[in-house]
Amino acid sequence: MKRGDSGFSEGSAGNNVATSLASQLPFELLMNVFRRTLSVRDLVVCANVCVNWHSTATTLLWRKPIFASLDSFTRFTRCCSNASLVAPSLRALALEPGEKAEWVVSGERQWLGCLGITRLVFLHFNQVPFLAAFVQPLHIACIAEARPLLSRLDLSNCIQIGDAPLAQIVSVCASSLQHLSLNGCRLVTDAGIAIMSQFCGPFKLLHTLSMRGCGLISDLGISEISKSGLASCLTSFDVSGCYRVTDRGVYRFLDKAVKEASAAQKGEMQNSSL
């Protein structure tokens, strides 16, 4: 019995050592391993191992959510709303190795961890046909309340989304937004484009802007993009189907972009010479 007890202790100690070593692996190494080998279900399990594994797993889980149905999207927005409610507590949450990384909100277990929702990078609603048509301003408001740092936002065919929800979601991710698609957003007007430009202009990170089929956008909206300084930053700009945008408006936009780009190039050459 003593030998058996001793063997059990040695085995437990070995497992503890292995777990300790695994928890000390670098974040980049864990990201590569998890991304290439683990499914979504496995990532959820790994998120419950230790602090390092939890951080890596939640980064991948929240990076690019896939909505298989309208119900899954509804649950996602509910989770975003819960994240905004418990965000102050989550910021103060310090998990110890081996402690479960789950949060209980309104009787539901939410795999949020330490601000996991802020790991959301790519958001779009075109995985399921007609899902975008069901996206409402309330859904966008719930997502915006969680304050994700999106780099790519695709609102294509969200026919119920207008200026107010667009401004709400862009206001929280303007510092990281690089790609924005508003194709088919028929309720977005020049006012919404002006607000978006004011938020994104100072950061100058927006590279791709697509507004195909936005019939309420005119030369005024295009000029607001130019005034914000985004014209020279854009590498892809699509206004096809915007019948209120004239050739003259496009010419002014391109002229402004060329002048800004040449001025920036001259400034860089002067700085390098100094």
Side-chain angles (χ1 to χ4, degrees):
M1 293 295 295
K2 291 183 179 181
R3 292 185 61 182
D5 294 339
S6 176
F8 179 77
S9 300
E10 292 176 358
S12 300
N15 292 335
N16 292 334
V17 171
T19 303
S20 176
L21 292 176
S23 65
Q24 296 176 9
L25 292 176
F27 176 80
E28 293 78 9
L29 178 59
L30 287 175
M31 281 285 289
N32 290 330
V33 173
F34 286 5
R35 183 188 297 113
R36 296 179 181 180
T37 61
L38 299 183
S39 63
V40 173
R41 188 181 299 272
D42 294 333
L43 288 173
V44 172
V45 175
C46 291
N48 209 21
V49 173
C50 63
V51 175
N52 290 342
W53 283 38
H54 170 69
S55 176
T56 308
T58 51
T59 298
L60 294 174
L61 285 170
W62 288 95
R63 187 177 185 84
K64 183 181 177 181
I66 298 176
F67 309 115
S69 63
L70 179 60
D71 180 65
S72 64
F73 172 68
T74 303
R75 286 187 281 113
F76 168 77
T77 56
R78 188 186 306 121
C79 190
C80 291
S81 180
N82 290 334
S84 65
L85 292 175
V86 300
S89 300
L90 289 173
R91 290 191 183 94
L93 182 63
L95 296 176
E96 297 296 333
E99 185 177 352
K100 290 188 176 182
E102 57 188 25
W103 196 263
V104 180
V105 181
S106 301
E108 297 182 4
R109 295 188 177 222
Q110 305 290 344
W111 292 92
L112 298 177
C114 297
L115 299 178
I117 187 62
T118 60
R119 315 288 174 84
L120 186 63
V121 174
F122 183 15
L123 183 62
H124 68 110
F125 311 102
N126 297 306
Q127 300 98 335
V128 179
F130 310 113
L131 174 61
F134 291 96
V135 178
Q136 301 178 11
L138 178 61
H139 296 143
I140 300 300
C142 291
I143 298 173
E145 287 177 0
R147 308 186 69 82
L149 297 177
L150 296 172
S151 63
R152 184 184 296 269
L153 176 61
D154 190 346
L155 297 175
S156 297
N157 302 317
C158 294
I159 57 177
Q160 301 186 59
I161 302 305
D163 296 337
L166 173 62
Q168 191 169 11
I169 187 65
V170 170
S171 66
V172 300
C173 62
S175 62
S176 59
L177 190 62
Q178 301 178 21
H179 307 275
L180 176 62
S181 178
L182 302 173
N183 298 332
C185 293
R186 298 176 295 183
L187 298 181
V188 176
T189 67
D190 293 332
I193 298 302
I195 296 174
M196 180 275 298
S197 302
Q198 291 175 7
F199 281 120
C200 296
F203 300 101
K204 291 182 170 51
L205 293 177
L206 191 63
H207 302 315
T208 303
L209 178 60
S210 182
M211 303 182 294
R212 190 167 58 248
C214 296
L216 297 181
I217 297 177
S218 66
D219 291 347
L220 180 60
I222 303 301
S223 64
E224 291 296 331
I225 298 175
S226 300
K227 292 178 182 178
S228 67
L230 288 175
S232 60
C233 302
L234 294 174
T235 58
S236 177
F237 184 56
D238 190 352
V239 291
S240 58
C242 300
Y243 60 88
R244 295 189 179 185
V245 177
T246 64
D247 294 341
R248 185 176 182 180
V250 174
Y251 173 79
R252 289 179 176 177
F253 176 84
L254 294 176
D255 182 61
K256 180 75 170 179
V258 171
K259 290 181 179 179
E260 289 180 355
S262 60
Q265 187 175 9
K266 289 181 181 179
E268 292 179 358
M269 293 178 61
Q270 292 177 358
N271 293 334
S272 61
S273 62
L274 295 176

